[in-house]
Amino acid sequence: MKRFSGLFLVSLLSGATTLGAYKLFFENDGLFSDNTKSIVTTAPANYTKNVGLGAEAVDFTAAADNAVHTVVHVKNLSYRTISNPMLEYFYGYKGGQQQAQVGTGSGVIISEDGYIVTNNHVIQDASELEVTLNNKETYKAKLVGTDSKMDIALLKIDTDKKLPYAVFGDSDNVKVGEWVLAVGNPYNLTSTVTAGIISAKARNLDQKGIQSFIQTDAAVNPGNSGGALVNTKGQLIGINTMISSMTGSYVGYSFAVPSNITRKIIEDIMEYGNVQRGVFGVEGYELNSTITKDMKLSTSQGFYVKKVDKNSGAANAGIQQGDVIIKLDNTNISSFVDISSYVNTKRPNDIVKATFIRNGKAMEVPVTITKNEFVNAELNGIIFENLDASDKKRFHIDYGVKVKDITNQSFMRYYNALKGNILIAINDAKAVDTETVANIFNEKLSSESMVELTMINKRGELVKFFVEIK
């Protein structure tokens, strides 16, 4: 990384700008206390299979009737300022008119006291959130927390009534070819149910392999985002998130965040205020017949370990280059997406049982999941950390990173001005979390000569720092 120097502090609007524009209804009513209990209801394991049943032999009515009462309509109200470039250019006119924008999607009630899971993109940049139940009752909603990487958000509505809620099924147990229902509000058509089958599991739609989706051919259209994907028992096995389309409408494939990953994200938000991500600690590739033959391996199914990360759980457990991982606990492994999908349901310090092939022999070791390497991000001696729940509540924000420490002596005169500030943007890029910030620092700043850091200071004022790159 290039060397950074020359830190300059500029106060935006004379340092008087407050956080009003950044308030996103982030109130938690004590949700993050140490005695927090899970709000998620999980169905017992089901070991029976529906084999050889055609659509006409499967009764969808009970599952549909149960699911439609747990799915809600989510309305996102936001504002943007409309400017007139011609007036600005010729007359220096700086005025603008605020225009309301309304976005809609779906959500799933997951507790009788009003917790709702939806997609992050459904509620992104919201000034107001409104939820309409299947019985047409409408409530204002508060944002509890989000995970932009897996596109999950948790909302809360206040009601004295006991609400119908979805029971979480085990998404690891679902089978390709299994019947599913997608429930949501496409094109504002409320309580819409479509049927299909699971087309694939652990579908990777991210170059980093972070994402792991259930693919289905149940019809999903704009407005379905955040809705429920349920099995024939009515159990929630996924949150509908996106479609694959050149037209913007459904053309045959849709994707859902698996329920096991969704449940873990929700529990992390409730207990910690952010998502606790761990890593297994290996790099490599999926085996195929050519690789198996060239390397003279005894199996053609599994994940070939090309590199083991230093000090990772895998390294500490004795996994080596050349090993072929075939299972984590009882989950079969054939690709890195399989590994990341399973690890995404775990937290740092959780232990998984890894089965692998070495020199033709099956071996088994316990592997402790370690913390994600992006616990902190550093910009030439300015060290950032992820926000905790108290920071988010205090500043009414749901993203950003906090200045944890300063180690660069040339910046020490700014120590008091910087320490504890919340970084929310780097140039025009949102500083979502430390992983995002680290990626921006490492990949996107090489061609810049000056970097603009937008921050919230300890008084709640919006300020900007400029860092010169030499």
Side-chain angles (χ1 to χ4, degrees), residues 58-122:
V58 179
D59 185 358
F60 297 99
T61 57
D65 183 61
N66 177 67
V68 293
H69 296 297
T70 68
V71 174
V72 301
H73 191 238
V74 179
K75 183 184 291 186
N76 171 345
L77 180 63
S78 60
Y79 297 91
R80 66 169 181 157
T81 301
I82 305 300
S83 61
N84 189 320
M86 297 298 291
L87 289 177
E88 291 179 3
Y89 182 78
F90 288 107
Y91 304 106
Y93 174 72
K94 296 297 182 182
Q97 182 178 3
Q98 273 205 332
Q99 186 178 78
Q101 292 182 309
V102 178
T104 60
S106 304
V108 184
I109 304 171
I110 57 171
S111 71
E112 64 181 13
D113 58 344
Y115 284 96
I116 296 167
V117 63
T118 183
N119 286 147
N120 178 66
H121 76 262
V122 169

Side-chain angles (χ1 to χ4, degrees), residues 212-227:
S212 177
F213 292 99
I214 295 174
Q215 180 181 324
T216 176
D217 66 353
V220 169
N221 278 294
N224 269 110
S225 291

Side-chain angles (χ1 to χ4, degrees), residues 161-175:
K161 299 179 181 179
K162 291 186 176 181
L163 302 177
Y165 60 90
V167 174
F168 276 69
D170 185 355
S171 55
D172 288 342
N173 249 357
V174 301
K175 305 295 181 183

Side-chain angles (χ1 to χ4, degrees), residues 28-211:
N28 58 40
D29 300 324
L31 293 176
F32 302 108
S33 59
D34 292 338
N35 60 353
T36 299
K37 295 182 179 179
S38 174
I39 60 173
V40 172
T41 302
T42 306
N46 173 30
Y47 298 103
T48 61
K49 305 289 189 298
N50 288 331
V51 180
L53 298 179
E56 68 281 356
V58 179
D59 185 358
F60 297 99
T61 57
D65 183 61
N66 177 67
V68 293
H69 296 297
T70 68
V71 174
V72 301
H73 191 238
V74 179
K75 183 184 291 186
N76 171 345
L77 180 63
S78 60
Y79 297 91
R80 66 169 181 157
T81 301
I82 305 300
S83 61
N84 189 320
M86 297 298 291
L87 289 177
E88 291 179 3
Y89 182 78
F90 288 107
Y91 304 106
Y93 174 72
K94 296 297 182 182
Q97 182 178 3
Q98 273 205 332
Q99 186 178 78
Q101 292 182 309
V102 178
T104 60
S106 304
V108 184
I109 304 171
I110 57 171
S111 71
E112 64 181 13
D113 58 344
Y115 284 96
I116 296 167
V117 63
T118 183
N119 286 147
N120 178 66
H121 76 262
V122 169
I123 55 83
Q124 194 167 15
D125 300 325
S127 298
E128 297 177 22
L129 291 169
E130 184 179 275
V131 167
T132 302
L133 308 186
N134 190 54
N135 62 8
K136 310 304 180 186
E137 292 181 354
T138 299
Y139 298 87
K140 294 294 183 182
K142 296 176 290 189
L143 178 63
V144 180
T146 66
D147 178 19
S148 59
K149 291 182 179 60
M150 289 306 298
D151 202 15
I152 292 294
L154 183 63
L155 311 180
K156 177 69 167 66
I157 61 174
D158 292 327
T159 175
D160 296 331
K161 299 179 181 179
K162 291 186 176 181
L163 302 177
Y165 60 90
V167 174
F168 276 69
D170 185 355
S171 55
D172 288 342
N173 249 357
V174 301
K175 305 295 181 183
V176 173
E178 182 177 334
W179 284 103
V180 290
L181 301 177
V183 187
N185 304 282
Y187 303 116
N188 288 322
L189 300 173
T190 59
S191 306
T192 297
V193 180
T194 57
I197 63 168
I198 293 176
S199 306
K201 294 175 60 178
R203 183 67 78 194
N204 177 25
L205 303 178
D206 190 296
Q207 291 181 350
K208 297 178 182 177
I210 296 173
Q211 312 279 14

Side-chain angles (χ1 to χ4, degrees), residues 273-445:
N274 53 45
V275 180
Q276 303 292 295
R277 284 193 169 86
V279 293
F280 188 79
V282 295
E283 299 176 25
Y285 40 81
E286 181 178 356
L287 291 184
N288 56 41
S289 57
T290 302
I291 296 173
T292 301
K293 182 178 179 181
D294 290 344
M295 294 187 172
K296 299 179 181 179
L297 300 174
S298 59
T299 179
S300 60
Q301 298 292 321
F303 177 80
Y304 180 82
V305 178
K306 180 68 174 176
K307 178 185 176 183
V308 182
D309 296 336
K310 186 178 180 181
N311 298 324
S312 67
N316 294 335
I319 293 178
Q320 303 173 5
Q321 178 182 351
D323 292 342
V324 178
I325 299 172
I326 58 175
K327 272 189 178 184
L328 293 182
D329 292 333
N330 295 317
T331 300
N332 292 328
I333 299 297
S334 62
S335 67
F336 182 73
V337 177
D338 292 334
I339 294 176
S340 63
S341 175
Y342 191 72
V343 172
N344 276 341
T345 66
K346 304 297 180 182
R347 297 181 180 88
N349 298 320
D350 283 352
I351 297 175
V352 300
K353 181 175 63 178
T355 305
F356 58 92
I357 305 295
R358 179 184 294 170
N359 298 326
K361 295 181 180 180
M363 303 179 68
E364 187 178 283
V365 295
V367 177
T368 300
I369 302 300
T370 51
K371 279 190 176 183
N372 191 297
E373 62 180 308
F374 294 106
V375 175
N376 295 321
E378 183 176 352
L379 174 60
N380 195 34
I382 305 175
I383 301 172
F384 299 93
E385 64 180 350
N386 282 321
L387 299 182
D388 58 24
S390 62
D391 292 324
K392 291 179 179 180
K393 181 179 180 181
R394 176 188 173 192
F395 293 105
H396 302 288
I397 55 177
D398 69 334
Y399 73 93
V401 296
K402 187 176 183 178
V403 178
K404 179 181 180 181
D405 200 6
I406 300 172
T407 60
N408 190 325
Q409 290 298 319
S410 63
F411 294 158
M412 282 303 176
R413 62 184 181 276
Y414 301 108
Y415 189 91
N416 292 330
L418 278 171
K419 180 79 180 293
N421 285 6
I422 309 297
L423 175 67
I424 58 174
I426 305 165
N427 292 343
D428 295 324
K430 288 175 66 172
V432 177
D433 53 25
T434 53
E435 183 174 352
T436 303
V437 169
N439 288 335
I440 295 172
F441 288 164
N442 291 330
E443 298 173 9
K444 297 184 179 181
L445 301 184

